[in-house]
Amino acid sequence: MVARAPFRSRRRRVIEVVPKPTVPTARAIVDCAAYVDGARLPGRFSPASALAEIRTRGTGFVWVGLFEPDEHQMSEIADVFGLHPLAVEDAVNAHQRPKLERYDDTLVTAMRTVAYVEHDMHIVSEIVQTGEIMVFTGPDFVVAVRHGEHTGLVRVRHRLEADPDRLALGPGAVLHAITDHVVESYHDVTSAVEYDVESMEEELFTPRTTLPIEAIYQLKREIVELRRAVRPLAGPLQTLAGPQTPLPKEVRRYLRDVTDHHSGVAERINDLDETLTTLVGAAVAKIAVQQSTDMRKISAFVAILAVPTMIAGIYGMNFDYMPELKQTWGYPVVLATMATLCATLIVVFRRIKWL
């Protein structure tokens, strides 16, 4: 019998998972306020106390702004306002396609936000920065969850608070103000990118310029990113402006105006994309022409240098009987012949614009 080695037990390495510390929900709350008849109620509220105050009064609504909440923080907010778990998961993970969903009496609107990044036109760098806003709109609350540093809604809140008549329309007025703010940012970014495209077009068609084609490719990629953020919002906006949503009629009128502005921006982005496609073709053609010019110059120099090389090669052959080898004027005559032929070629190539 074959002796077997004694059995050795292998100890498995136990990896202890340290739970992440729980961050209070208040850290993710940018602002929380209760509004009645278009006026903000004095005092500071938590989401639960604000909603309780509004439901006790039987009028008004709560507006909560959140910035990049984690799963625990969003779960607490969802428990307060009764948000659907699927929508809550989307709000935490972000990177959602613009869409509109309805869960019972709650509308969930996801929008992509954009911001223009200042840059050097000759350097490949990020031009359009994207983020996300998801808005939960219920009968007596609005929860706005945003991702991205550039997506602040403080100005939107201040502008609405300065117009109590619009704010008195309820949560729908807040939804309209946020969508209008997002579409307005689309317009601003598109105008800035359009200026870049015009500057590139002007420089590309200016003689003796060295605009790198990589910069044009980068701008075209950013245009594609901008189009992906803007164009899918058309469907949700049209649905919001339609009669099938529980929004007030006056709010739907405002939303139709936002839809028109969005359509105009989307058309401008398509025009910019087509213009950049043309610029890429023009840049490639310009590079090809430049390469052809360089090749002609190289060929001209090669032809000029070939003359003295050929003559030197002929007289470098070791034959005893070659003309002019024994003459005192042989060397200067050969040099003069080389110089004359090279000068003649230079004149010819310049006339045909090869040099």
Side-chain angles (χ1 to χ4, degrees):
M1 295 181 63
V2 181
R4 295 182 179 180
F7 175 77
R8 295 181 182 179
S9 61
R10 296 183 178 179
R11 295 182 179 180
R12 294 185 177 180
R13 185 178 298 176
V14 179
I15 300 177
E16 183 178 358
V17 179
V18 180
K20 294 182 179 180
T22 302
V23 181
T25 305
R27 293 280 187 88
I29 298 177
V30 179
D31 198 355
C32 177
Y35 299 91
V36 175
D37 296 330
R40 179 168 180 161
L41 297 181
R44 300 184 63 179
F45 294 92
S46 66
S49 62
L51 187 62
E53 178 69 21
I54 289 300
R55 289 181 175 174
T56 299
R57 291 171 177 261
T59 182
F61 67 94
V62 179
W63 182 1
V64 181
L66 302 173
F67 176 68
E68 297 183 354
D70 58 24
E71 186 176 356
H72 170 73
Q73 295 167 340
M74 197 64 208
S75 296
E76 288 192 358
I77 297 296
D79 292 340
V80 173
F81 295 99
L83 306 180
H84 196 278
L86 292 177
V88 171
E89 183 180 355
D90 291 342
V92 174
N93 296 330
H95 303 293
Q96 300 297 317
R97 183 180 175 87
K99 61 182 179 179
L100 174 66
E101 295 179 341
R102 184 171 181 177
Y103 297 94
D104 296 330
D105 56 353
T106 302
L107 292 176
V108 181
T109 309
M111 295 171 282
R112 299 293 300 277
T113 60
V114 295
Y116 180 78
V117 180
E118 296 292 339
H119 63 285
D120 188 348
M121 189 170 61
H122 293 80
I123 299 176
V124 177
S125 61
E126 185 181 24
I127 301 173
V128 178
Q129 187 179 19
T130 60
E132 184 178 322
I133 294 179
M134 183 168 285
V135 184
F136 298 83
T137 310
D140 53 4
F141 67 86
V142 176
V143 178
V145 182
R146 63 185 183 89
H147 295 264
E149 296 291 341
H150 63 276
T151 56
L153 299 176
V154 177
R155 289 185 301 171
V156 176
R157 188 184 289 265
H158 290 169
R159 191 161 56 240
L160 273 179
E161 290 178 350
D163 190 358
D165 292 336
R166 284 185 57 191
L167 199 56
L169 294 174
V174 178
L175 178 59
H176 161 260
I178 294 176
T179 56
D180 184 57
H181 170 73
V182 172
V183 173
E184 184 180 353
S185 69
Y186 292 165
H187 178 274
D188 296 339
V189 172
T190 303
S191 298
V193 174
E194 187 175 16
Y195 177 79
D196 287 343
V197 173
E198 292 175 353
S199 300
M200 280 191 174
E201 186 176 12
E202 181 180 358
E203 183 169 350
L204 180 63
F205 292 106
T206 301
R208 295 181 295 277
T209 54
T210 57
L211 179 64
I213 192 172
E214 291 82 3
I216 302 178
Y217 281 128
Q218 173 69 12
L219 185 56
K220 184 170 178 59
R221 191 189 71 82
E222 296 297 316
I223 287 289
V224 172
E225 182 71 18
L226 180 61
R227 186 177 60 189
R228 288 177 179 174
V230 173
R231 191 165 65 177
L233 187 58
L237 286 178
Q238 291 176 357
T239 303
L240 283 174
Q244 62 270 32
T245 56
L247 299 176
K249 185 176 182 180
E250 187 68 20
V251 173
R252 295 202 304 270
R253 289 175 179 172
Y254 283 117
L255 286 170
R256 282 196 291 270
D257 182 65
V258 176
T259 303
D260 293 339
H261 292 168
H262 177 271
S263 299
V265 173
E267 291 177 0
R268 289 176 63 189
I269 293 175
N270 289 334
D271 293 341
L272 290 177
D273 189 31
E274 293 177 0
T275 301
L276 278 176
T277 301
T278 304
L279 287 182
V280 169
V284 172
K286 186 175 182 180
I287 292 174
V289 170
Q290 185 64 40
Q291 289 177 345
S292 177
T293 302
D294 294 340
M295 287 301 299
R296 285 187 297 180
K297 290 181 179 180
I298 293 172
S299 300
F301 282 118
V302 169
I304 293 171
L305 294 176
V307 172
T309 302
M310 181 186 65
I311 296 175
I314 292 174
Y315 281 93
M317 293 185 293
N318 296 322
F319 291 107
D320 291 334
Y321 302 100
M322 294 184 69
E324 296 90 22
L325 286 181
K326 303 298 182 179
Q327 303 295 330
T328 57
W329 46 265
Y331 181 67
V333 168
V334 170
L335 291 182
T337 303
M338 289 181 181
T340 302
L341 292 175
C342 290
T344 303
L345 288 176
I346 290 174
V347 172
V348 172
F349 286 137
R350 283 187 175 179
R351 283 183 178 179
I352 63 176
K353 297 181 179 180
W354 278 38
L355 288 178

